[in-house]
Amino acid sequence: MKSSVIGSNPRIVSFYSSYMDMLGVVNEAYNSINVGLKRAILDKKITSLIVIIENRDDLVTYNRLKDLLDERRMNTFVVCVDESLMQQVSNSRVISISHKSVTLDFSEMLAKSNVCKPYLKETGNTRSPEKIFEHIKFMLARGNITLPVEGECAVRILSVLDHDNITFKAIDGMTKLDPALHSGIIRMANSAYFSGSYGNIADVQKALVRLGINNIKAYLVNFINKSLAANKNLLYADEIGEAIKDSQIIGALCYVMSDFFKVCAKGQMYSVGLLSKIGEIFILAIISDYLSGERPEDVKDGSYRKMATQNNILVGGTLMKKWKFSEEFYIPLLFSGTLKENQFMNETKILHLACNMLVFFRTEQIDDGLKAALNKTGIQLSEKQLQRIKTETEIKIKDFAAVY
């Protein structure tokens, strides 16, 4: 038996999750009502819910999914931060509670002592880039990564990655839920990029052994990314799609240049390149979830997009470490911006160069970014060699599209 604490405000979710911990109640905490309720619907071990309704967006999300909850096995407590919403969630199937009544006595004592302002009298801007980035850092530090993915298989993949219990057996079980995932892993294992001189196989367990856990994780992350891009209700769905396309180009460039210079494992470097934009995609997905219900014209001023781009390396590296990728996968990303000396310098230089070749790949123009990257890495490539790399990369992108 376990419980789940679900809400959109990470601080309030943390408050009730910690309170449950003190009571000795095992609980999962989710900073997304959408993802948390979907998890509760799928996981039969969850027998009680605390759902925190802070605003009307939260209420709409809750109402959309509540009828899918199994009332026979689940106790549901709805905590309303906005007391005016209590009547809209009150019914015989749930116990509704006012968050203010839970915390009022202590907060009034603090207010009288001039420690804080009167409770809930003033609200700041809870949707600024700074607030959202604090939310992202909290999620990375505490765990319970929640993304607005769609589909049972994508939800399960995210949960398995996040709880560090990813095993070949767990992946094999997930492939039974999604024929596309099953056939994709088999196809990847039988591709020229991973099969080598070995024959074709039809068993997922054997495919997993051939591919290795890190390449499989990269494939699963790509599966999650495609699920995000397919969710056109997300505020930044188009930008997520663009970042995925960039990562596919970077992955193919890494593969081709690894072969060109003969210094790195080609298949591994494709996975490294494919993960090069995971931080940006993650941030855009979290922002989309956090700003759910907002009008695009009200929030798409460029500041959120800039935040995602600027923090891609930091957040991406943190995510890969959290999801237990091995060092040769995440260290090249962490040092790809600065090219600081590390034990995987060849991989780091190739990734740095690939990330700065996007403009050349699309326009055949050698821009200042590529010139600086060639100079910084000490790699000498003529325009003819760059053109050859571009041509081979175009072929590999098509080949990998059939695999991934």
Side-chain angles (χ1 to χ4, degrees):
M1 294 175 59
K2 60 182 177 181
S3 300
S4 189
V5 180
I6 303 165
S8 61
N9 187 318
R11 292 184 177 180
I12 301 177
V13 170
S14 179
F15 172 82
Y16 282 96
S17 178
S18 299
Y19 194 81
M20 296 289 276
D21 287 340
M22 287 190 291
L23 294 175
V25 180
V26 176
N27 70 91
E28 298 177 346
Y30 293 92
N31 298 324
S32 165
I33 292 177
N34 183 53
V35 174
L37 288 178
K38 286 181 179 178
R39 171 73 172 159
I41 292 165
L42 294 172
D43 191 343
K44 306 302 182 186
K45 294 180 182 179
I46 296 177
T47 56
S48 64
L49 297 179
I50 295 179
V51 184
I52 301 157
I53 305 296
E54 186 176 18
N55 50 48
R56 293 194 177 278
D57 290 342
D58 292 347
L59 180 63
V60 168
T61 304
Y62 169 71
N63 284 336
R64 189 173 67 244
L65 295 170
K66 66 180 181 181
D67 292 336
L68 298 177
L69 297 169
D70 187 350
E71 301 169 18
R72 295 169 296 178
R73 66 174 174 86
M74 195 172 296
N75 293 312
T76 304
F77 303 85
V78 177
V79 179
C80 293
V81 178
D82 184 344
E83 291 182 316
S84 67
L85 301 176
M86 285 190 66
Q87 290 185 342
Q88 298 181 51
V89 297
S90 297
N91 59 56
S92 59
R93 294 177 293 177
V94 304
I95 298 174
S96 57
I97 307 164
S98 165
H99 174 65
K100 185 174 181 178
S101 66
V102 172
T103 57
L104 186 60
D105 290 342
F106 186 52
S107 64
E108 285 190 344
M109 184 188 304
L110 293 175
K112 289 177 181 178
S113 301
N114 293 319
V115 175
C116 63
K117 295 177 180 177
Y119 188 46
L120 295 180
K121 295 295 184 183
E122 293 189 17
T123 57
N125 180 9
T126 61
R127 296 185 182 267
S128 66
E130 294 77 16
K131 289 284 186 180
I132 294 178
F133 196 61
E134 286 299 315
H135 167 57
I136 290 169
K137 289 192 292 185
F138 176 87
M139 186 181 294
L140 288 171
R142 194 172 188 273
N144 294 320
I145 301 298
T146 56
L147 296 171
V149 293
E150 292 190 332
E152 181 180 352
C153 192
V155 172
R156 284 183 180 271
I157 289 173
L158 184 60
S159 176
V160 166
L161 282 171
D162 196 39
H163 288 85
D164 191 30
N165 60 348
I166 190 164
T167 62
F168 286 168
K169 183 178 180 181
I171 298 169
D172 188 25
M174 285 188 293
T175 63
K176 293 178 172 62
L177 296 174
D178 194 302
L181 181 63
H182 179 277
S183 62
I185 289 176
I186 295 290
R187 191 165 57 247
M188 181 181 174
N190 289 327
S191 70
Y193 306 107
F194 294 98
S195 64
S197 59
Y198 299 101
N200 283 357
I201 54 179
D203 179 77
V204 169
Q205 287 276 359
K206 292 179 181 178
L208 298 175
V209 173
R210 175 180 288 180
L211 293 167
I213 195 66
N214 286 284
N215 286 317
I216 283 293
K217 284 182 180 179
Y219 183 89
L220 296 178
V221 170
N222 188 57
F223 189 94
I224 291 172
N225 288 347
K226 289 193 292 185
S227 172
L228 291 169
N231 185 357
K232 296 306 179 183
N233 292 322
L234 295 185
L235 190 65
Y236 284 95
D238 291 342
E239 289 81 356
I240 289 172
E242 291 170 8
I244 292 172
K245 288 179 181 177
D246 284 349
S247 70
Q248 291 167 341
I249 296 171
I250 292 170
L253 282 166
C254 284
Y255 183 95
V256 170
M257 285 193 285
S258 295
D259 189 39
F260 186 87
F261 296 115
K262 309 295 183 187
V263 293
C264 307
K266 296 179 291 184
Q268 172 193 313
M269 280 308 296
Y270 178 78
S271 294
V272 170
L274 193 66
L275 294 164
S276 62
K277 292 285 186 176
I278 182 59
E280 183 175 342
I281 294 167
F282 172 82
I283 294 171
L284 290 171
I286 295 298
I287 293 172
S288 296
D289 204 31
Y290 201 94
L291 298 177
S292 176
E294 297 281 354
R295 297 186 307 170
E297 59 268 27
D298 291 339
V299 295
K300 276 197 166 186
D301 59 358
S303 57
Y304 295 110
R305 186 72 180 88
K306 184 177 180 181
M307 180 180 75
T309 303
Q310 290 179 338
N311 292 282
N312 171 58
I313 290 176
L314 173 63
V315 173
T318 303
L319 263 179
M320 291 171 70
K321 289 170 70 175
K322 176 177 172 52
W323 287 342
K324 306 299 182 185
F325 279 89
S326 57
E327 288 185 338
E328 62 267 29
F329 280 76
Y330 67 78
I331 285 182
L333 175 61
L334 284 174
F335 290 96
S336 62
T338 62
L339 287 187
K340 185 178 179 182
E341 190 71 29
N342 65 81
Q343 63 267 47
F344 301 104
M345 279 308 296
N346 287 329
E347 291 87 347
T348 303
K349 286 181 179 180
I350 287 177
L351 180 59
H352 177 84
L353 194 55
C355 290
N356 285 280
M357 284 184 68
L358 288 173
V359 172
F360 177 80
F361 180 84
R362 292 192 168 106
T363 68
E364 299 188 8
Q365 299 297 313
I366 301 176
D367 66 338
D368 291 341
L370 178 53
K371 289 178 183 177
L374 289 167
N375 181 61
K376 197 170 183 179
T377 59
I379 296 174
Q380 301 300 316
L381 287 172
S382 66
E383 191 166 348
K384 185 176 180 180
Q385 288 173 318
L386 286 169
Q387 185 61 53
R388 174 185 160 189
I389 289 172
K390 176 183 182 296
T391 301
E392 292 183 11
T393 298
E394 289 172 337
I395 297 171
K396 298 304 178 188
I397 288 172
K398 294 178 182 177
D399 292 344
F400 279 116
V403 176
Y404 281 77

